[in-house]
Amino acid sequence: MDAVRSFLRHPSGMVGLVVLLIVVIVAIVAPVAFPVSPWEMVSAPFTPPGEDGLLLGGDTLGRDVAAGVAYGARVSLVIGIASAMAAMVIGVTIGAISGYFGGKVDLVLMRMTELFQTIPAFVLAILLVATFNPSLLTIILTIGAVSWPPLARLTRAEFLRLRNREFVEAALCQGEGTLRIVLGHILPNAISPILVVTSLTVATAILLESALSFMGLGDPNLMSWGFMIGAGRTVIRNAWWMSVFPGLAILITVLAINLFGEGLSDVLNPRVSRRRS
Amino acid sequence: MIRLGNAATIGLMALSRIAQLIAVILLIATFNFVLVRAAPGDPAQVMAGQSGASDPKLLEDLRKEYGLDKPYVVQLASYLGRVVKLDLGYSYRQRRPVADLVLERLPATLLLTVTAFCLALLIGTTLGALAGLAAGTVLDTVFTVLSLVLYATPVFWLGLMLVLVFSVTLGWLPPFGYETINVKLSPIERALDVAKHLIMPVTSLAAIYLAIYARLMRSSIIEVAQQDFIKTARAKGLTGPSIVFGHMLRNALVPVVTVAGMQAGALVGGAVVIETVFAWPGLGRLTFDALLQRDYPVLLGIFLILSIVVIVLNLLTDLIYKLIDPRMTTGAA
């Protein structure tokens, strides 16, 4: 509870949290606030913002940009959170095995992690989504599959730090199994930095998803911010609002998550470096 | 430990990195091979793409050419053999070898990424150092807020916003392309023309890395400034500038260069999106076209070549790192 109290006193962290909550609320109320699907035409093409009852204007087909932005929040948040979770599962598993067992296993796994960190993640993501066809699930798994290395390295470092502590030795003496020691004793002690990095991974996942759907690799059934910017790209001379507003939505959401994550980091583990790798 | 001269150490390191490079290329090629087999549909259909999949003769030829009836190990060995000879397959959409397609687009991508990388490193570390030396002032706060915002901005959107401001509204810069077509220009005029086209793509690509390097450099400078050898330098009677240039910058740069190397992959990925925004005729643009046509051999070739580019960039930052790391020059490492 001390952590909650000190987070409440963390100004930029609180700004992030409040903005993030607003985005979440927009995502939740989108179907109520915009009962007409964002794919439906509601006005003349290229309606400027403020006219015809369209706060953020209409697109090339007269669809409501504001509805698209609201529905896009759902896609971005769901994909961002789910793929960060996927990255966490992969990263923590690999990092835990590496850090706990050490030796050759560690060497092989860390070389693999380095390789994944070296190759151009976005190009790999393009290749994976194109191979397995874009859908909500393939996009989440793909972003998870290219975002885990920092989490693996962090988890490994935490496990290396913790595995020779007295409480682990005590558990070993009591004859507890490896899985139980790892999950029941070491992981709970390593969880706060893992949560911080996972929360920051949500932000990069949202950026990655927007870039994928900008390139035409979004789920074709879902209105997403990246897709909207991609659609507005060719008509930017005539309809600036089509690309400006979805981009602002990404910027604000990602900024809020980063502020929240860094606030979390300051509160939970001041010793963990803020820099991201 | 045998003591080696600095040049010898760097030479040895370069050799071991080249061996690593070859290993990584083979690993990525193997990954590509597995991916084609894991894709839905049979490999011949995947390689032929949407258009070719309806042509039974082409599919039959492909099966024969890639030996798809043979065991996987044989297929993999022959595939790796091709990759080593830079035979990356054939694009049935463009009716040209993939290696030709990819290599002719590579220079434009390299121009974009290397320029962005150098500028981001140069300007980012300079701004970061300034912010670090002025820690706590208004200037420092402005830099910090700016880098936070840049860090949250999608690169492709930043590119579009630059187009909106500098091409659509102000009309200062060409909105897309590599050079002005259909005009006769002297070599110098042509270089200037390309540079003018390069400004916005490079700015949008470099911005986020500039922000990252600036933040890193800032904390690095603050850290170095508190260390004993700086106090010693002051005690010796050295003044501001000579401390900053002689002692602090070099030490503070080490972590920044390390991260810069690790970010090379992301930079190249960013270039792919940026090229799509600015119709820059490099590998990113080729990726976008290949995606539209589901031209799979081209996508695989691009992934392989861009991975090699990243590893080479990594090698270069490693060399810079060894050159600036103060411990290396004393031979004590």
Side-chain angles (χ1 to χ4, degrees):
Chain A
M1 282 306 99
D2 278 353
V4 175
R5 218 168 292 140
S6 47
F7 189 87
L8 289 175
R9 279 196 301 266
H10 193 285
S12 61
M14 277 308 284
V15 170
L17 180 64
V18 170
V19 175
L20 194 57
L21 282 177
I22 295 174
V23 179
V24 171
I25 291 169
V26 168
I28 293 172
V29 303
V32 185
F34 302 95
V36 182
S37 150
W39 300 98
E40 292 289 323
M41 292 175 232
V42 291
S43 70
F46 296 115
T47 307
E51 283 178 29
D52 221 357
L54 298 184
L55 187 63
L56 305 182
D59 72 0
T60 41
L61 299 172
R63 298 178 295 206
D64 187 354
V65 172
V69 169
Y71 278 84
R74 302 166 80 96
V75 177
S76 283
L77 288 178
V78 166
I79 291 183
I81 293 168
S83 33
M85 291 291 172
M88 184 174 79
V89 171
I90 304 171
V92 167
T93 309
I94 290 177
I97 294 173
S98 214
Y100 187 81
F101 293 106
K104 284 211 174 87
V105 182
D106 180 35
L107 192 74
V108 171
L109 286 178
M110 278 306 110
R111 274 290 139 88
M112 192 178 87
T113 310
E114 274 166 31
L115 178 66
F116 263 88
Q117 212 158 20
T118 315
I119 54 176
F122 181 62
V123 186
L124 176 59
I126 287 179
L127 196 57
L128 286 174
V129 177
T131 305
F132 299 105
N133 293 322
S135 73
L136 196 62
L137 185 69
T138 54
I139 294 168
I140 289 170
L141 292 179
T142 293
I143 298 178
V146 301
S147 308
W148 58 266
L151 278 154
R153 294 173 79 114
L154 172 77
T155 309
R156 172 180 176 269
E158 288 294 303
F159 270 64
L160 280 178
R161 186 174 66 85
L162 293 167
R163 73 167 177 197
N164 293 324
R165 291 284 180 85
E166 290 86 351
F167 66 88
V168 177
E169 276 167 23
L172 273 170
C173 289
Q174 286 178 346
E176 288 187 26
T178 307
L179 199 64
R180 194 147 168 216
I181 292 175
V182 167
L183 293 180
H185 295 286
I186 306 184
L187 195 57
N189 282 289
I191 204 71
S192 56
I194 293 175
L195 284 182
V196 167
V197 174
T198 306
S199 73
L200 295 170
T201 306
V202 176
T204 49
I206 289 177
L207 285 174
L208 201 54
E209 185 277 330
S210 71
L212 282 172
S213 44
F214 175 78
M215 297 284 285
L217 287 174
D219 186 320
N221 303 311
L222 297 172
M223 184 61 87
S224 73
W225 293 335
F227 168 79
M228 294 171 74
I229 299 173
R233 174 173 72 95
T234 46
V235 290
I236 193 157
R237 271 174 197 284
N238 315 313
W240 55 267
W241 53 90
M242 276 179 63
S243 28
V244 168
F245 294 123
L248 279 178
I250 300 174
L251 172 60
I252 290 167
T253 310
V254 171
L255 187 58
I257 296 172
N258 282 338
L259 290 175
F260 171 75
E262 291 195 358
L264 210 59
S265 169
D266 288 348
V267 169
L268 289 180
N269 28 259
R271 74 188 163 74
V272 171
S273 159
R274 279 182 175 207
R275 74 176 71 123
R276 276 200 270 165
S277 51
Chain B
M1 279 285 285
I2 309 162
R3 281 226 177 156
L4 290 169
N6 207 22
T9 326
I10 288 178
L12 261 184
M13 199 190 68
L15 267 183
S16 87
R17 287 305 295 258
I18 289 167
Q20 256 180 353
L21 176 70
I22 295 168
V24 171
I25 293 171
L26 291 179
L27 264 175
I28 288 169
T30 310
F31 175 83
N32 276 354
F33 175 85
V34 174
L35 203 59
V36 174
R37 270 76 192 167
D42 92 288
Q45 272 172 339
V46 174
M47 299 305 285
Q50 265 166 2
S51 61
S54 53
D55 179 354
K57 182 163 180 313
L58 175 62
L59 290 181
E60 202 41 55
D61 287 351
L62 271 173
R63 287 199 185 96
K64 209 170 282 166
E65 197 192 331
Y66 287 91
L68 293 181
D69 48 343
K70 300 205 180 84
Y72 280 144
V73 185
V74 179
Q75 290 182 35
L76 177 63
S78 93
Y79 176 72
L80 292 183
R82 284 160 194 262
V83 169
V84 169
K85 284 182 283 179
L86 252 182
D87 173 2
L88 302 180
Y90 192 79
S91 160
Y92 296 93
R93 290 298 307 229
Q94 310 237 27
R95 305 200 174 281
R96 288 184 63 198
V98 172
D100 290 4
L101 279 168
V102 172
L103 290 179
E104 83 182 17
R105 299 291 193 105
L106 188 59
T109 298
L110 285 182
L111 178 64
L112 175 62
T113 40
V114 172
T115 314
F117 187 65
C118 295
L119 279 183
L121 207 51
L122 213 68
I123 302 176
T125 48
T126 310
L127 290 184
L130 285 177
L133 292 171
T137 62
V138 181
L139 184 74
D140 180 33
T141 316
V142 170
F143 280 161
T144 306
V145 172
L146 204 65
S147 64
L148 267 172
V149 171
L150 279 179
Y151 199 47
T153 310
V155 274
F156 55 93
W157 184 72
L158 181 62
L160 277 176
M161 293 306 104
L162 292 179
V163 170
L164 193 59
V165 174
F166 294 102
S167 303
V168 177
T169 311
L170 297 170
W172 289 354
L173 291 168
F176 57 81
Y178 180 80
E179 57 189 331
T180 315
I181 42 172
N182 292 332
V183 285
K184 269 226 174 327
L185 293 172
S186 71
I188 296 172
E189 284 171 329
R190 185 167 175 234
L192 285 175
D193 185 49
V194 172
K196 210 172 162 187
H197 282 81
L198 195 59
I199 294 175
M200 285 199 294
V202 161
T203 309
S204 29
L205 184 57
I208 180 171
Y209 301 99
L210 201 154
I212 294 174
Y213 304 152
R215 288 192 82 184
L216 261 176
M217 188 67 182
R218 176 184 176 273
S219 46
S220 188
I221 279 275
I222 292 174
E223 206 179 303
V224 169
Q226 291 161 347
Q227 277 171 12
D228 288 342
F229 69 90
I230 296 296
K231 287 181 194 149
T232 312
R234 281 193 207 284
K236 278 197 314 196
L238 291 179
T239 49
S242 67
I243 290 180
V244 171
F245 290 105
H247 293 79
M248 283 168 81
L249 280 184
R250 197 176 199 189
N251 284 284
L253 269 172
V254 173
V256 183
V257 172
T258 313
V259 171
M262 287 165 69
Q263 295 278 359
L267 182 86
V268 168
V272 169
V273 207
I274 280 299
E275 288 184 13
T276 308
V277 173
F278 291 98
W280 188 257
L283 287 171
R285 185 69 205 171
L286 187 65
T287 308
F288 189 71
D289 295 337
L291 275 176
L292 284 180
Q293 304 166 337
R294 289 289 184 266
D295 195 344
Y296 209 70
V298 172
L299 287 179
L300 292 174
I302 291 171
F303 177 54
L304 185 72
I305 295 293
L306 283 181
S307 300
I308 296 173
V309 169
V310 172
I311 296 163
V312 172
L313 279 178
N314 259 300
L315 179 63
L316 289 178
T317 46
D318 264 18
L319 290 175
I320 302 175
Y321 178 75
K322 298 290 170 195
L323 287 172
I324 59 161
D325 189 343
R327 280 162 301 184
M328 285 299 292
T329 47
T330 57

